[in-house]
Amino acid sequence: MNDNSIAFPCPACNKILDKIKLNKNNFEIVGFETGFEWSDFQASNLPSLDKKIWTRSNNPPLKGGRRIVMVRYPFQMKVGESF
């Protein structure tokens, strides 16, 4: 595993999957169906991870916008990589 990657092990077998290929195949964008949620939290009001509070946003992010996200298995990306 590359030190610049963020990946989570499977909660059942504790293995990390090979990186999911984001092949566009004539689509403008591709994304994750599972393991990824965004929120309307801002850096200034992000709750502590100890509190286990997460409010999922119903509004999708706008192109070029920044959002705080919660990721879990099978998410796997390099630090700084666009998704």
Side-chain angles (χ1 to χ4, degrees), residues 3-4 13 21 27 35 41 50 53 57 59 62-63 69 72 74 76 80:
D3 289 340
N4 291 329
C13 69
K21 300 209 182 330
F27 289 95
F41 288 127
D50 300 353
I53 296 171
S57 176
N59 302 314
L62 299 173
K63 183 177 180 178
V69 297
R72 60 187 169 278
Q76 186 178 139

Side-chain angles (χ1 to χ4, degrees):
M1 169 84 36
N2 182 326
D3 289 340
N4 291 329
S5 292
I6 299 171
F8 299 94
C10 171
C13 69
N14 211 31
K15 292 183 181 177
I16 295 176
L17 290 179
D18 291 336
K19 184 169 177 163
I20 299 169
K21 300 209 182 330
L22 297 177
N23 190 349
K24 292 186 178 183
N25 286 338
N26 298 323
F27 289 95
E28 185 176 332
I29 62 170
V30 292
F32 294 92
E33 184 176 346
T34 61
F36 182 89
E37 294 179 11
W38 58 78
S39 179
D40 291 325
F41 288 127
Q42 301 295 318
S44 61
N45 71 348
L46 184 63
S48 165
L49 294 175
D50 300 353
K51 294 186 180 182
K52 299 185 184 204
I53 296 171
W54 183 258
T55 305
R56 182 179 177 159
S57 176
N58 290 325
N59 302 314
L62 299 173
K63 183 177 180 178
R66 290 182 173 222
R67 284 294 196 55
I68 292 176
V69 297
M70 176 176 62
V71 294
R72 60 187 169 278
Y73 178 83
F75 182 87
Q76 186 178 139
M77 300 293 285
K78 289 183 179 177
V79 173
E81 187 175 3
S82 294
F83 59 91

